[in-house]
Amino acid sequence: RPMANKRPDGDGLVRKRSDGRWEGRLVVGTKKNGLPLYKCFLNKSQKEVLARMDEYKENTLKNPFYGVYYGQSALPLPPDTIKYLTNETIEGLKVTVADSITGMPLESTVYNMDKAFGKDPYEMFLSGATPIVVMENPNAKTDKELIIFRDSFGSSISPLLTEEYAKVTLLDIRYVQTNMLGNMSNVYGYNFENADVLFLYSTLILNTAKIFK
């Protein structure tokens, strides 16, 4: 039977899986619906899993988060807590977002603390809804590129994917027409050729076919 226990400092969970490998889980953020978002680490060695987990610092936003569906519930529900991770890679990222009006590049940050204390704290992740986000990792040991087609759920998890890439580009086709993606690549420098591509959507978006036309 798999074994599971909390780490000594209380952050995260480590367990031995039925296949013999060790798995570590850290809460890395909060989804738009208020559920926790996890990052998992797998290795044959418990020591290696713990070492990878220790590379991240867990931070807690000191602002209550009620989520997008709170107002629809009409119930006095308690708020959730937003947690987010930082490490050397995330802190060293160069982030560029598309201006919502002109579409031109604007310098930004992974965690926008001004928006964290605004109307919707979830917008702290990559400054909220924007058609294009580019994260460049100057410390990458590879020239690999990742392109993510995503909705808002991708905002909180995508910075954790940058460690293995020189550039990660997020495209939200709710805000940019697909026939414009080629032209925008000239401005933002992403290249579909030889890049890894990830589709990262909530079930609500996946079940709305017209978004992908």
Side-chain angles (χ1 to χ4, degrees):
R1 182 179 178 180
M3 299 181 293
N5 49 64
K6 288 187 176 181
R7 298 169 64 208
D9 60 6
D11 294 332
L13 183 75
V14 177
R15 72 184 183 104
K16 191 172 185 180
R17 295 161 35 124
S18 57
D19 62 4
R21 293 184 297 171
W22 285 88
E23 177 185 19
R25 298 177 68 190
L26 283 176
V27 177
V28 299
T30 306
K31 297 179 182 179
K32 194 74 172 179
N33 60 6
L35 295 176
L37 183 67
Y38 295 97
K39 180 176 177 65
C40 296
F41 305 84
L42 287 176
N43 200 283
K44 295 180 180 179
S45 164
Q46 181 187 26
K47 182 179 178 180
E48 288 299 320
V49 167
L50 291 172
R52 289 296 309 278
M53 294 174 72
D54 286 337
E55 293 176 1
Y56 291 87
K57 177 185 176 183
E58 182 181 283
N59 306 275
T60 300
L61 181 66
K62 298 185 183 302
N63 190 28
F65 176 64
Y66 291 94
V68 70
Y69 299 118
Y70 176 80
Q72 301 175 19
S73 68
L75 296 172
L77 300 174
D80 288 306
T81 301
I82 287 182
K83 295 188 177 182
Y84 58 100
L85 297 183
T86 53
N87 66 0
E88 290 185 7
T89 298
I90 293 175
E91 291 174 350
L93 293 175
K94 176 186 176 183
V95 181
T96 305
V97 302
D99 183 271
S100 59
I101 298 176
T102 66
M104 297 306 295
L106 295 175
E107 186 176 333
S108 188
T109 58
V110 175
Y111 303 122
N112 187 325
M113 301 314 293
D114 289 334
K115 289 182 177 290
F117 292 91
K119 183 178 180 181
D120 182 2
Y122 187 78
E123 290 191 345
M124 67 173 285
F125 296 103
L126 299 176
S127 297
T130 183
I132 299 177
V133 178
V134 177
M135 294 180 287
E136 297 176 84
N137 178 8
N139 299 315
K141 298 179 181 179
T142 176
D143 59 356
K144 292 174 58 179
E145 183 174 348
L146 172 65
I147 298 175
I148 304 176
F149 288 87
R150 58 95 184 205
D151 57 12
S152 58
F153 283 88
S155 297
S156 54
I157 193 172
S158 55
L160 304 176
L161 305 178
T162 56
E163 189 170 347
E164 302 299 327
Y165 293 93
K167 178 186 289 186
V168 175
T169 302
L170 282 69
L171 302 174
D172 194 333
I173 55 176
R174 296 175 300 170
Y175 304 109
V176 60
Q177 296 180 0
T178 53
N179 60 1
M180 292 295 294
L181 293 178
N183 294 334
M184 297 298 283
S185 68
N186 296 327
V187 178
Y188 289 89
Y190 57 86
N191 186 357
F192 286 99
E193 187 175 352
N194 298 322
D196 291 339
V197 178
L198 173 65
F199 291 85
L200 191 60
Y201 289 101
S202 64
T203 55
L204 179 63
I205 297 296
L206 288 174
N207 290 327
T208 310
K210 64 181 182 180
I211 291 178
F212 298 98
K213 291 183 180 180

